[in-house]
Amino acid sequence: MTRSANQPRSAWPAIAARTALALLGGYAFTYAFTAALARLLPLYPVDAVTAASLLSFVVYLVFILWAFASASLRRVLVAVGVAIPLAIVGFWPQLMEVLG
């Protein structure tokens, strides 16, 4: 069965991609954001980790909602890519132990 030009294509691949990016990419972004925030907050380490961890639930929820509200899938991919510099900031001491 062939599809004519007037028939719309299925929306399921786009929904599946957004779902995967929202769940997995959102988790990666939130994990990196939480680590970076815990490192950068000017508090005692225990308090910084607690504050960053509490905020992580809101960040993850907002990322998931934004992944489905975003106009294009490319914007969501760019936001997931922002997790790399955040992870470098958050895990810099551990990274230096491994590298040096």
Side-chain angles (χ1 to χ4, degrees), residues 48-98:
V49 169
T50 302
S53 296
L54 288 172
L55 187 60
S56 70
F57 294 104
V58 176
V59 170
Y60 192 43
L61 174 67
V62 168
F63 191 95
I64 289 172
L65 293 174
W66 177 76
F68 286 100
S70 178
S72 71
L73 199 58
R74 187 170 297 179
R75 290 181 185 172
V76 180
L77 283 170
V78 169
V80 172
V82 171
I84 295 170
L86 286 173
I88 291 172
V89 169
F91 297 108
W92 186 256
Q94 290 88 353
L95 183 64
M96 295 310 294
E97 286 179 9
V98 171

Side-chain angles (χ1 to χ4, degrees), residues 37-57:
L37 186 63
R39 172 117 11 241
L40 296 175
L41 281 176
L43 300 171
Y44 290 113
V46 172
D47 294 335
V49 169
T50 302
S53 296
L54 288 172
L55 187 60
S56 70
F57 294 104

